[in-house]
Amino acid sequence: MKFTLSWLKTHLKTDADLATILKTLNAIGLEVEDVENPAEKLGAFKIAKILTADRHPQADKLQVLSVDHGDGNPLQVVCGAPNARAGLIGVFGVEGAVVPVNGMVLKKTAIRGVESNGMMCSTRELELGDDHDGIIELAGDAPVGEVYANWAGLNDPVIDVSITPNRQDCMGVRGIARDLAAAGLGTLNAIIVPEIAGVGPGPDVRTDDVDGCPAFFARSVKGVTNGASPEWMARRLKAIGQKPISALVDITNYIMIDLGRPLHVYDMATLKGGLVARKGKAGEEVLALNGKTYAIDETMTVIADDAAVHDIGGIMGGEHSGAQDGTTDVLIECAYFTPERIAVTGQKLALTSDARGRFERGVDPAFLDDGLSIATSLVMTLCGGAASEATRAGTPPATPRTVAYAPDQCLALAGVDVPHDVQKRILESLGFGVSGEAGGIEYQDGVPVSVPGHWTISVPTWRRDVDGWPDIVEEVVRIVGLDHVPSTPLPRVPGVARPTATAEQLVERRVRRTAAARGLAEAINWSFISEKEAASVGGGDWTLANPISEDLKVMRPSLLPGLLSATKRNVDRSATSIRLFELGRRYFKQGERATVGFVLAGEKTPRGWQSGKAQPFDAFDAKGEVIALLAAAGAPVGNLQTMPLDWHYEVPIWHPGQCATLRLGPKTVLAQFGVLHPAFVKKFGLSGPVVAAQIYLDNIPPKRKSGFMRAPYAPPALQAVKRDFAFLVPEAVEADALVRAVKGADKKAIVDARLFDVFTGPGVDEGHKSLAVEITLQPGEKSFAQEELDAISAAVVKAAQKLGASLRG
């Protein structure tokens, strides 16, 4: 929300300087984002008069000027402006001045062999407009030598305030002035609402969509002459970044920013019949003022005549029916649109506007008549014409609201002791009505007793955000100053402080640190993804009714879309090796699932004279990372089983033959990992091998509680024994199954088993492979006897034979 200091003072009578105003705005919760004074960058530009203008000897389109800038020593300036001539008074930039539009520092230079000192400027060069066809021409009585910004009234700071969504009343300059007045910074000037003596019946308007547009007020003004806005209005609009268009259009923009009341003006010559606020129809379209065409549906409120739709209600008017230079008869619309309908429509159309920003917050429903009268008066004053009576279709939702409030609740809730009379003054200055007894101290038998007060607070119609007494406390404390809220520490429980992190949080900390230690960079993505991204991973269970954007609509069922989007951003910035992980939540009907996801893309190792070409990541890299992270999370990695993925997506996510799951038994899936399918990564603009994994922390079985003491570490007294076995197995037999079978042959003696060789080729029957397994035997109180080793070996061979394996020999 931008406004100038002089604009603010049209509503606020104050002697406060700029610094005090800015400090107070921040103190009452209206955060100042920026302050800019146009005069500061124009301090080196002066009013100057061209004394002579002669043709440049070396260029037909250039002139050599003699310029008087007020010090009595005319300067020679080379200028190419077509309107440069002797006697013209304009704006001159002296040597050393910085041109605002491009940052160029003016200096003495030679142009086609002729010395030039400074520059005569156009409005665009000074960022005062878009005109650059010639230099600025000022009135003949403009004082030569004076700083242009001071003479033109540009010494007017522009204040940019961040307005939170709940403060719809401060979406106009008057609302901000009201807050400052309540904070003791001056007096709020009375708003003047003119009485319009209308001639003839009002225009034909009605509302057939009372849910989307409860009230539609309008008045026509005939015989207007549309032209340029007056200088004071154009200057204020330009100062805050609004481009002046014409008086009729600028009036609506000015009232919207000044009073927070959006309006719209229709050229009556373009209308066919009366106007109606109704629901849109499938297939309807409207060409909006921004030059884009929007498709309308049944959920949207539109303003239409008998022939076509002219307005996306409360968001943007149509290009066809807007006021033009030749407009003579206008219809001024002042309607109330339901905030929820505006928000949904704006999101569907991806259309933002100043009007939408105010209507979806909620404008004052009781300001329709006054807003229409103010707009009509401005139109008649600036453009002439005769106004009709007002037409009032529908009823605005301006039902009075009251809140029961006790002044002592301010101290109880906020910890700030504000005297009752101060609270009443603050609330009344903000527009609240206060009635009832304030309470206080009564003496009973000579003893002072506190008697609570009971007030009835009437909420002003422009404060849609106030629902209960805590909101009243907030208003009082906000105006008193948030810096007056005491910093009171919470009481500490006596004794040794107890840990605050839960077991799940501790697991997440270990996983996060392990991932970072292994060279993965943490990504923090939105928990929301687009419908298209959600569909690519099987669809989401939860869709937001009011998302921040259409690209953040579905609560993610997988971490992969966010990680792949982050990978794409890194690839676009020339990253060659990408290792990203994220620890977050996936969302399903059953609840939230704690998950770790990671993506490995690009080069695992760069090209080099030893390794040759750059090496990409593969599925085994993903498996190694998964096992390390599962170990950090406390999972029994020694009992994990590698099993194939269960396919249940229409479009495959994982590359067949290059992916798997790690499980505890056939049902408990702890992780899925592997190479992503090329068609899947292509959806995110990626190519080449992309390796990924998702680890399901919520599926890891919790550790059994065994007290606070750890069991003492007792290393084995005897050295372990290792034995190697090579088996011929059918190709279909998984190595993991063989290793688990061998390890289970003697659970007491065999403490570990691992695969160390796979061989196919000469000496191995076709359709078979050779798997070599190393087992580790740990003796207990005494070393193994040969008979015991033979028995264990026989048990190992027997266990392998159950899978169709035979000892190779």
Side-chain angles (χ1 to χ4, degrees):
M1 174 66 193
K2 289 185 177 182
F3 54 92
T4 65
L5 181 60
S6 64
W7 197 340
L8 176 68
K9 289 185 176 181
T10 63
H11 292 280
L12 181 68
K13 184 179 181 181
T14 180
D15 296 326
D17 59 12
L18 177 63
T20 303
I21 291 173
L22 299 179
K23 182 179 178 181
T24 305
L25 284 171
N26 284 317
I28 62 179
L30 300 176
E31 181 183 0
V32 178
E33 290 192 330
D34 189 28
V35 180
E36 182 180 357
N37 191 346
E40 292 178 355
K41 57 186 178 183
L42 299 177
F45 294 87
K46 297 182 177 181
I47 298 174
K49 183 177 182 179
I50 300 176
L51 302 178
T52 62
D54 300 316
R55 179 177 173 274
H56 193 291
Q58 303 296 330
D60 293 337
K61 294 185 178 180
L62 298 179
Q63 297 185 75
V64 180
L65 312 179
S66 176
V67 176
D68 176 15
H69 64 290
D71 67 350
N73 296 312
L75 296 175
Q76 179 174 284
V77 177
V78 176
C79 180
N83 63 330
R85 62 188 183 277
L88 181 146
I89 297 179
V91 180
F92 175 67
V94 299
E95 184 178 355
V98 179
V99 181
V101 73
N102 54 19
M104 180 178 68
V105 179
L106 298 179
K107 57 184 179 180
K108 184 185 296 185
T109 186
I111 301 177
R112 295 286 185 93
V114 177
E115 183 181 273
S116 180
N117 302 272
M119 182 175 72
M120 296 296 291
C121 302
S122 68
T123 56
R124 189 170 78 168
E125 288 162 338
L126 299 185
E127 293 186 334
L128 299 176
D130 296 326
D131 183 16
H132 62 285
D133 294 333
I135 58 178
I136 297 173
E137 295 190 39
L138 302 179
D141 59 351
V144 174
E146 185 172 337
V147 175
Y148 170 69
N150 295 337
W151 176 80
L154 298 176
N155 190 11
D156 193 6
V158 178
I159 305 169
D160 188 0
V161 177
S162 176
I163 307 298
T164 52
N166 64 314
R167 293 305 308 279
Q168 68 279 350
D169 58 307
C170 287
M171 291 299 289
V173 180
R174 182 167 183 81
I176 294 173
R178 183 189 296 113
D179 268 19
L180 289 172
L185 225 60
T187 305
L188 185 67
N189 295 329
I191 187 170
I192 300 174
V193 180
E195 293 186 6
I196 305 296
V199 179
D204 180 13
V205 300
R206 71 179 192 277
T207 176
D208 291 346
D209 181 13
V210 293
D211 292 329
C213 179
F216 186 174
F217 290 11
R219 193 190 295 267
S220 62
V221 183
K222 296 184 178 180
V224 301
T225 301
N226 195 15
S229 300
E231 190 273 336
W232 63 268
M233 180 180 288
R235 184 174 68 248
R236 288 179 183 174
L237 291 175
K238 284 191 289 187
I240 64 172
Q242 293 274 351
K243 180 182 178 180
I245 298 173
S246 67
L248 289 173
V249 175
D250 294 346
I251 286 169
T252 61
N253 288 334
Y254 183 82
I255 293 175
M256 175 179 64
I257 297 164
D258 187 52
L259 302 174
R261 160 38 73 179
L263 306 110
H264 189 62
V265 173
Y266 296 89
D267 185 344
M268 295 185 68
T270 65
L271 302 180
K272 304 293 188 295
L275 284 181
V276 57
R278 60 169 173 81
K279 290 184 178 180
K281 300 175 183 177
E284 288 185 321
E285 292 183 340
V286 59
L287 176 62
L289 286 170
N290 62 2
K292 297 181 180 179
T293 300
Y294 295 91
I296 305 300
D297 65 28
E298 298 86 345
T299 65
M300 303 174 186
T301 300
V302 298
I303 307 295
D305 61 10
D306 296 341
V309 174
H310 292 287
D311 191 350
I312 305 170
I315 299 180
M316 189 170 289
E319 188 174 273
H320 171 67
S321 58
Q324 307 295 327
D325 291 340
T327 298
T328 58
D329 299 335
V330 296
L331 182 149
I332 305 173
E333 167 222 308
C334 186
Y336 181 87
F337 296 95
T338 305
E340 293 78 10
R341 180 73 63 83
I342 294 293
V344 171
T345 301
Q347 289 166 2
K348 279 189 175 183
L349 299 178
L351 177 58
T352 59
S353 67
D354 290 330
R356 174 191 167 184
R358 288 161 174 80
F359 275 122
E360 71 180 352
R361 281 175 165 89
V363 300
D364 183 1
F367 197 69
L368 271 70
D369 259 326
D370 291 348
L372 184 59
S373 295
I374 293 171
T376 304
S377 176
L378 268 175
V379 168
M380 295 170 65
T381 300
L382 302 182
C383 304
S388 71
E389 295 286 346
T391 301
R392 301 174 180 84
T395 304
T399 305
R401 293 178 295 128
T402 59
V403 174
Y405 176 67
D408 292 340
Q409 289 173 319
C410 182
L411 176 61
L413 181 63
V416 182
D417 190 6
V418 183
H420 295 181
D421 59 333
V422 175
Q423 292 192 49
K424 184 176 182 180
R425 180 193 63 76
I426 289 173
L427 292 172
E428 288 179 341
S429 61
L430 289 173
F432 293 86
V434 181
S435 61
E437 296 296 329
I441 302 296
E442 291 185 359
Y443 288 87
Q444 299 179 5
D445 299 328
V447 178
V449 177
S450 176
V451 179
H454 296 282
W455 286 350
T456 298
I457 308 295
S458 301
V459 181
T461 53
W462 58 80
R463 293 304 302 270
R464 180 171 175 260
D465 58 306
V466 176
D467 289 326
W469 68 265
D471 297 320
I472 303 297
V473 172
E474 180 185 357
E475 291 302 296
V476 171
V477 174
R478 181 175 64 84
I479 298 300
V480 168
L482 298 175
D483 53 337
H484 287 83
V485 178
S487 299
T488 305
L490 295 173
R492 181 173 178 176
V493 179
V496 178
R498 296 181 180 180
T500 57
T502 64
E504 293 79 8
Q505 290 172 330
L506 293 174
V507 167
E508 292 180 4
R509 288 180 187 176
R510 291 196 299 269
V511 170
R512 182 177 282 111
R513 290 172 180 168
T514 301
R518 293 180 65 83
L520 300 175
E522 184 172 11
I524 301 176
N525 294 307
W526 290 98
S527 296
F528 318 107
I529 57 179
S530 67
E531 290 181 307
K532 183 179 179 181
E533 290 173 335
S536 70
V537 289
D541 290 341
W542 297 100
T543 300
L544 302 183
N546 187 25
I548 8 181
S549 79
E550 287 297 308
D551 290 334
L552 298 171
K553 193 170 186 178
V554 181
M555 300 189 76
R556 63 185 179 191
S558 170
L559 302 186
L560 293 181
L563 285 168
L564 290 174
S565 297
T567 301
K568 178 63 167 58
R569 288 192 291 272
N570 281 269
V571 169
D572 291 343
R573 287 157 179 79
S574 302
T576 56
S577 183
I578 300 162
R579 297 172 168 88
L580 296 177
F581 83 95
E582 182 177 10
L583 201 159
R585 300 290 187 271
R586 297 175 301 131
Y587 301 91
F588 302 96
K589 290 181 179 179
Q590 299 82 1
E592 302 179 11
R593 301 290 178 86
T595 307
V596 179
F598 65 79
V599 168
L600 309 175
E603 301 174 355
K604 179 173 70 173
T605 56
R607 62 181 181 176
W609 64 271
Q610 290 177 309
S611 58
K613 293 183 178 181
Q615 300 298 313
F617 294 98
D618 59 27
F620 293 104
D621 296 313
K623 183 178 181 182
E625 299 296 339
V626 168
I627 291 176
L629 297 180
L630 283 173
V637 294
N639 299 330
L640 293 176
Q641 303 174 27
T642 304
M643 302 179 69
L645 274 163
D646 297 327
W647 297 100
H648 59 277
Y649 303 123
E650 293 182 7
V651 177
I653 296 176
W654 302 97
H655 198 301
Q658 299 184 46
C659 59
T661 61
L662 289 175
R663 310 189 185 200
L664 290 174
K667 294 183 178 181
T668 306
V669 180
L670 297 191
Q672 55 181 202
F673 65 91
V675 179
L676 295 174
H677 197 284
F680 179 67
V681 298
K682 187 177 180 181
K683 295 177 181 290
F684 296 87
L686 298 169
S687 60
V690 178
V691 175
Q694 286 194 124
I695 301 171
Y696 310 126
L697 298 180
D698 56 315
N699 284 349
I700 299 176
K703 290 185 177 181
R704 295 180 181 178
K705 295 183 179 180
S706 57
F708 294 101
M709 297 295 293
R710 292 182 179 179
Y713 175 64
L718 300 175
Q719 186 174 349
V721 179
K722 295 186 177 180
R723 290 288 185 271
D724 296 343
F725 295 84
F727 296 100
L728 290 174
V729 299
E731 286 186 346
V733 175
E734 296 177 353
D736 182 65
L738 178 65
V739 171
R740 284 189 283 108
V742 167
K743 188 176 181 180
D746 189 330
K747 294 182 180 181
K748 182 178 181 181
I750 301 175
V751 294
D752 191 21
R754 70 181 186 89
L755 180 75
F756 69 89
D757 184 57
V758 179
F759 176 73
T760 57
V764 177
D765 296 339
E766 185 177 353
H768 287 71
K769 57 187 176 183
S770 172
L771 301 179
V773 181
E774 176 191 80
I775 65 172
T776 301
L777 308 174
Q778 180 60 56
E781 297 179 355
K782 61 179 182 177
S783 300
F784 289 115
Q786 186 60 45
E787 295 80 7
E788 292 175 311
L789 292 175
D790 292 342
I792 293 172
S793 297
V796 168
V797 173
K798 184 177 181 181
Q801 288 174 345
K802 293 180 180 179
L803 297 177
S806 61
L807 190 64
R808 187 180 176 192

